[in-house]
Every structure is written in structure tokens, then in C-alpha cells.
Amino acid sequence: MKECLFCRIAVGAFDASFAFEDEHLVVFPDLGSIRRGHVQIVPKQHFETFEVTPPDIAAHILHIGQRLARVQKRLYGVDRVTFMFSGGDIAHVHAHLIPMVEKTDVTSARYIAEQNLTFHALPELHRETRREIANELRDALSEEP
């Protein structure tokens, strides 16, 4: 699907620094990262939503997420890493892996005090920062069993 941003990233038609790549997946820093090390795990093949993703691909996403979470804990000194399957903002299934510095890094209704929320655009990570993050994760991942 050449109009899908993640399909374009997966084939190298869009600038992204990969922390991991194999025949099925690519992993790259989230452009609007919540915390340093926040990455997206994206299948190369287009699946619009989680429930239509073949079980073997979903399991592979989870496996790579587990490996990366161990690396993120060590690199970023956190006790927890959040893993979330998504497909809402971009209609191509993907998982977010976010080192949790604060419990509100990924918010839910129980943390929100205001009735009417307002949002602003996330700052975009600079290309060089994305490259640094991808390199540090890739190097650390290569040391994992």
C-alpha cells in the first residue's frame, strides 16, 4: 500500500533509523516520542488492525518487544516498559514500546483531573536524535541472548 506511511517506512522510502529489522518487522524511534527510547514495532506487511494480524506476526511483535524491553530497562534505568498494540493513528498495526519514567507517561482516565482536556502537538524528534536512539538500542539488543 504505497499511501501507507508505515509501508513506505518499511521499504525504506521514508527516512527512519531502524533499531531492529528482520524479514517481518522494523523497529524505529517514534517521531513524537513520549520518552527517550520510545519505539514503534511495525510489520513490513500491511495489516490494518490488530485483530486481523496473523498470530505468528503478532507473536513475533511481542517477542521482539520483550527483548527490547529488557534493553530499555537497562539503558534508560526504568523498572517498567509499556507495550501497546495500536493501529488508531495510522491504519497499519504497530506496537509502541515506552520506557516508563513516570506512571503518567501513558495516561488513562484515572490520572486525569480535568473534565475537558486540551492537547498540543508533540515535539518532533530530530533526525539525528532518532538515529542515536536506534543505534543505542540496536547495539544493546545485539548483546541480548
Side-chain angles (χ1 to χ4, degrees):
M1 297 191 66
K2 67 179 170 181
E3 68 277 352
C4 173
L5 174 61
F6 283 171
C7 286
R8 291 183 10 234
I9 289 172
V11 298
F14 188 84
D15 180 43
S17 297
F18 296 153
F20 175 86
E21 180 178 16
D22 67 12
E23 65 275 12
H24 301 290
L25 305 174
V26 293
V27 177
F28 52 89
D30 190 292
L31 192 59
S33 292
I34 292 172
R35 292 288 183 176
R36 184 174 185 91
H38 174 182
V39 294
Q40 295 192 48
I41 306 170
V42 178
K44 290 182 174 181
Q45 189 175 352
H46 185 86
F47 305 105
E48 198 165 291
T49 57
F50 169 71
E51 72 277 4
V52 300
T53 304
D56 62 323
I57 298 296
H60 190 46
I61 291 170
L62 182 61
H63 173 72
I64 296 304
Q66 289 174 319
R67 288 184 59 205
L68 280 163
R70 289 189 293 270
V71 165
Q72 288 172 319
K73 284 180 172 186
R74 188 176 77 247
L75 280 177
Y76 305 118
V78 296
D79 294 326
R80 296 183 317 159
V81 174
T82 293
F83 177 93
M84 298 181 296
F85 268 105
S86 186
D89 50 344
I90 295 178
H92 183 123
V93 72
H94 55 286
H96 289 263
L97 206 58
I98 306 163
M100 297 295 289
V101 176
E102 300 289 337
K103 69 179 183 179
T104 54
D105 282 344
V106 178
T107 59
S108 73
R110 71 183 193 171
Y111 299 123
I112 298 171
E114 294 81 23
Q115 182 75 14
N116 297 314
L117 299 177
T118 58
F119 298 91
H120 64 324
L122 288 170
E124 188 174 301
L125 275 184
H126 187 271
R127 178 180 301 149
E128 187 56 37
T129 302
R130 293 192 315 265
R131 190 170 292 121
E132 287 172 13
I133 292 167
N135 288 341
E136 69 193 16
L137 287 167
R138 185 177 45 257
D139 291 348
L141 190 59
S142 69
E143 298 168 6
E144 281 292 301

